[in-house]
């Protein structure tokens, strides 16, 4: 792996510092002055790395995220399709709406808007480790560096009301495809062609694209929104709240869970206590 590919200077903080989200970790290096950047005068959080030209930003993406690895000025997914490129189990703040998702130069980039970017910053510092994405050793401020199963480097930055995520590595996406170093995703293995999404963290709001996946919710007191169609929703945790676009089946083995399926009439199995399924 080429070191320091996601080293991105931070602007708009008390002092500029370089964050490197490498699997090897290591201390942050602080340049004496922030390198020149077209984003510097606007107070955006992410600036172009030294010696690299800012790409033409895709439509809908704030200019301050123009240095985010993985962006391309052509193509890319939007809406729930963009969010589906994130790793399975990757936490999303409540109200996240996909702006762009794509892969180029060996990196996967996903950008989404949020109602409150300050809340999103606080959310990620706590939610990433709980979801299985440990913070990089040098993540002292924001942007935040992280790793994870199959992820060699990851970074999250913000600009305006948008959050940008950039990842190098091989991982299973929320859309149940395998992303590998910027290549074309391949379908996950599942009888319903949708793969499996497992959510194990507790007390976390999440929004995920289902794409006909089987969703196993094992955490407790989660607030989960599943966009699109799900093959099956299996809830073994307690006191969870789930809203899904549609699902072929719902199985509740935990207690005090509530699942709302907006359309269709799923097959329902309830073996827990105090569970409720509401169907459109």
């Amino acid at each position: 792996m080429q070191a320091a590919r996601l080293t991105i200077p931070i602007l708009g903080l008390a002092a500029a510092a370089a964050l490197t989200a490498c699997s090897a970790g290591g201390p942050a290096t602080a340049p004496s002055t922030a390198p020149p950047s077209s984003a510097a005068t606007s107070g955006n959080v992410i600036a172009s790395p030294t010696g690299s030209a800012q790409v033409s930003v895709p439509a809908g993406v704030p200019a301050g995220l123009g240095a985010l690895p993985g962006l391309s000025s052509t193509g890319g997914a939007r809406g729930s399709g963009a969010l589906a490129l994130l790793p399975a189990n990757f936490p999303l703040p409540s109200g996240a709406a996909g702006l762009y998702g794509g892969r180029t130069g060996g990196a996967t980039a996903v950008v989404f808007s949020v109602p409150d970017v300050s809340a999103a910053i606080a959310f990620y510092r706590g939610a990433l480790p709980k979801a299985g994405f440990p913070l990089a050793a040098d993540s002292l401020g924001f942007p935040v560096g992280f790793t994870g199963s199959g992820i060699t480097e990851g970074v999250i930055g913000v600009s305006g009301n948008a959050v940008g995520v950039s990842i190098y590595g091989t991982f299973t996406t929320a859309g149940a495809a395998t992303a590998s170093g910027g290549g074309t995703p391949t379908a996950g293995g599942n009888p319903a062609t949708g793969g499996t999404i497992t959510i194990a963290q507790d007390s976390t709001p999440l929004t995920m694209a289902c794409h006909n996946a089987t969703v196993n919710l094992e955490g407790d007191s989660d607030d989960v929104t599943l966009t699109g169609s799900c093959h099956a929703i299996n809830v073994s945790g307690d006191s969870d709240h789930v809203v899904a676009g549609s699902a072929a089946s719902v199985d509740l083995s935990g207690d005090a869970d509530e699942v709302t399926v907006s359309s269709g009439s799923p097959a329902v199995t309830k073996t827990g206590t105090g569970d409720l399924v509401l169907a459109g």
Side-chain angles (χ1 to χ4, degrees):
M1 177 186 71
Q2 183 179 355
R5 285 178 298 189
L6 292 183
T7 302
I8 300 178
I10 304 169
L11 300 182
L13 302 178
L19 178 149
T20 304
C22 289
S23 56
T29 58
S32 56
T33 58
S37 164
S38 59
T41 57
S42 63
N44 292 311
V45 176
I46 293 183
S48 299
T50 303
S52 68
Q54 185 167 342
V55 302
S56 178
V57 182
V61 174
L65 294 175
L68 196 69
L71 290 179
S72 173
S73 59
T74 60
R78 306 287 170 171
S80 61
L83 300 180
L85 295 179
L86 288 167
N89 300 338
F90 195 85
L92 281 172
S94 180
L99 297 176
Y100 169 87
R103 301 187 183 102
T104 188
T108 297
V110 176
V111 180
F112 51 89
S113 63
V114 290
D116 185 337
V117 73
S118 297
I121 292 172
F123 166 81
Y124 271 117
R125 298 205 63 80
L128 283 171
K130 291 181 180 179
F133 302 94
L135 300 182
D138 51 5
S139 287
L140 304 178
F142 204 85
V144 165
F146 64 92
T147 57
S149 178
I151 296 174
T152 54
E153 297 178 278
V155 68
I156 302 175
V158 297
S159 180
N161 69 331
V163 175
V165 182
S166 186
I167 303 170
Y168 283 98
T170 301
F171 53 90
T172 299
T173 69
T178 298
S180 177
T184 302
T186 57
N190 179 280
T193 71
T196 301
I197 297 172
T198 300
I199 302 170
Q201 62 265 37
D202 299 327
S203 305
T204 304
L206 294 169
T207 299
M208 289 185 170
C210 214
H211 287 288
N212 210 31
T214 294
V215 179
N216 298 322
L217 178 52
E218 301 172 355
D220 299 327
S221 302
D222 291 316
D223 189 352
V224 178
T225 299
L226 302 170
T227 62
S229 300
C230 302
H231 175 62
I233 300 172
N234 306 317
V235 183
S236 57
D238 300 328
S239 302
D240 293 311
H241 181 268
V242 181
V243 176
S246 66
S249 66
V250 176
D251 186 306
L252 304 180
S253 58
D255 299 328
D257 297 311
E258 179 179 318
V259 176
T260 300
V261 180
S262 301
S263 63
S265 300
V268 176
T269 302
K270 294 190 292 183
T271 57
T273 302
D275 294 324
L276 179 64
V277 176
L278 303 174

